[in-house]
Amino acid sequence: MHRRPGAAGDPGAVGPPGPSGPPSAQGDDAAAAFATATPIKHVVILFGENVSFDHYFGTYPKAANLPGETAFRPAVGSPVPNNLSVPLDVNNGFAPLTGVDLLTNNPNLTNTINGTDAANPFRLSPAQASTADQGHNYGPEQAASNGGAMDLFPKFTGGPGFPAGQTKSLVMGYYDGNTVTALWNYAQHYALNDNSWTTQFGPSTPGAINLIAGQTNGMIMGNKAFNLFSPTHAIADGQGGFTMIGDTDPIGDVCSVAADQNLMAGKNVGDLLNATGITWGSFMGGFDLNITNPNGTSGCGRVTNPTQVPFAASSLDYIPHHAWFQYYPPPPTRGTCGRARSRRSARASRPTASRSPPTTTTTCMTSSRRSTPEIWAR
């Protein structure tokens, strides 16, 4: 016998609420609540100085994958950047340039002014992961660019040395994913700035300042008159001021020892981010001077022993002239505890970062925002 089910009964009373669940991702990350045009909530920029894009990504995403080397296998459909393998026309929608072969018929080979150092780009193997520094001062870089022909790099910026037997043509060497595997893996998952073109020549400091400020004019607070600075560091701008063209140290940084030291006037990207309320920070290697390395070095003399043979020199972990925001003085502010004091003498022991919304060296509250005595960043 089959029976039909009866009508459903009234729902029972609502039970007590259950225990609270784990905090949401938004609770852990304030940026998750920001309204953005894309899903991107954080931007992290890795800035490699003094080395060209093609030195690391000249053949990306194609690596040689020779026997015995760490293999690199790109994802199917990996975008091809503007590099030695596939030069693109920046003036015509980044279409591939026709009739241009930068790998096997490079103008640095065909320009006879380079003499016996003339060369095509060539691959450096993992066994050659340590190389001599190449010239990167303002004048030589300008001469190497040769009015835009980009064909005199061996003559003007090439540096012979290790790997053993290398001539000035070493400046034409490049790595692939078998050596700089980590960088190529980053490129597989994040944006690759293959068309980030600097607007001036020069070494570390002007390159870094130019990146965050768009120009390097406006040198201020020199440790001496700017006309006494090295002519490779500062040049008169014709308007009574001076423009940075070489490495100086930021004056007031406890690790600054260079003969030429100064700060910079004007706005930088940190000011623009502050104005829109976007939090940010900038971090430089070795900024924590309280750490003692396993080799016993600490403070401004902290050194990490090189791991790549035959790297012949040790470099300090913290280098003041690499610390871009150290060149911009924090604006003065008044808080409920009185006038803010200078923090320049202690800056190198903190992340090198913004001159953010005004901060103080005290732990008091200012009229608009809390001081950040330990981290100099937004």
Side-chain angles (χ1 to χ4, degrees):
M1 178 184 290
H2 298 283
R3 301 189 180 187
R4 284 187 263 178
D10 294 332
V14 177
S20 299
S24 67
Q26 179 169 319
D28 297 334
D29 180 9
F34 293 170
T36 53
T38 72
I40 297 173
K41 303 295 182 179
H42 301 276
V43 177
V44 178
I45 300 173
L46 304 180
F47 174 64
E49 51 127 37
N50 291 344
V51 177
S52 72
F53 176 86
D54 287 329
H55 184 64
Y56 291 135
F57 297 101
T59 64
Y60 178 87
K62 184 178 180 180
N65 291 328
L66 300 182
E69 298 179 349
T70 301
F72 178 84
R73 311 288 183 193
V76 175
S78 292
V80 177
N82 187 359
N83 61 10
L84 295 174
S85 295
V86 185
L88 306 178
D89 189 343
V90 298
N91 296 314
N92 291 288
F94 296 97
L97 285 167
T98 58
V100 177
D101 186 350
L102 295 181
L103 280 172
T104 63
N105 191 34
N106 195 282
N108 287 277
L109 171 70
T110 57
N111 191 331
T112 58
I113 297 177
N114 287 309
T116 57
D117 296 312
N120 277 318
F122 62 94
R123 179 181 183 267
L124 294 165
S125 73
Q128 298 171 306
S130 175
T131 68
D133 200 9
Q134 302 300 289
H136 48 272
N137 280 340
Y138 194 105
E141 285 191 339
Q142 187 177 41
S145 297
N146 195 18
M150 309 297 283
D151 59 357
L152 290 175
F153 286 90
K155 178 175 178 59
F156 288 106
T157 64
F162 58 93
Q166 294 293 328
T167 68
K168 292 176 67 176
S169 65
L170 177 61
V171 73
M172 300 301 294
Y174 66 85
Y175 294 111
D176 67 11
N178 304 132
T179 301
V180 288
T181 314
L183 294 180
W184 281 37
N185 280 328
Y186 279 132
Q188 287 280 286
H189 298 282
Y190 300 99
L192 191 60
N193 291 337
D194 56 328
N195 286 287
S196 175
W197 306 95
T198 184
T199 56
Q200 72 177 68
F201 303 104
S204 303
T205 309
I209 298 298
N210 182 274
L211 182 74
I212 66 168
Q215 52 89 40
T216 64
N217 182 249
M219 299 176 74
I220 60 172
M221 296 178 64
N223 62 335
K224 56 189 173 186
F226 288 119
N227 61 354
L228 300 179
F229 274 40
S230 166
T232 63
H233 292 166
I235 186 170
D237 63 9
Q239 302 296 320
F242 282 80
T243 297
M244 176 190 292
I245 61 171
D247 293 340
T248 66
D249 273 359
I251 194 168
D253 189 308
V254 296
C255 294
S256 291
V257 295
D260 295 340
Q261 301 180 27
N262 66 281
L263 296 183
M264 298 296 295
K267 288 187 176 181
N268 58 59
V269 67
D271 297 305
L272 302 182
L273 292 170
N274 290 340
T276 59
I278 297 176
T279 58
W280 64 280
S282 173
F283 300 89
M284 205 65 54
F287 62 79
D288 190 345
L289 302 183
N290 298 312
I291 293 176
T292 299
N293 283 0
N295 59 13
T297 57
S298 61
C300 295
R302 186 154 64 95
V303 173
T304 298
N305 292 332
T307 58
Q308 175 62 43
V309 177
F311 201 82
S314 296
S315 178
L316 294 172
D317 289 358
Y318 176 75
I319 300 175
H321 75 254
H322 288 173
W324 32 33
F325 288 104
Q326 294 290 74
Y327 289 85
Y328 292 87
T333 183
R334 290 181 181 273
T336 56
C337 299
R339 187 170 183 174
R341 294 173 290 155
S342 170
R343 302 175 53 199
R344 300 279 313 160
S345 62
R347 289 172 68 180
S349 65
R350 293 152 169 69
T352 173
S354 81
R355 56 185 180 119
S356 68
T359 60
T360 72
T361 51
T362 66
T363 56
C364 68
M365 299 293 287
T366 67
S367 59
S368 60
R369 48 184 67 85
R370 183 172 60 85
S371 66
T372 53
E374 295 302 321
I375 300 178
W376 205 26
R378 279 275 339 248

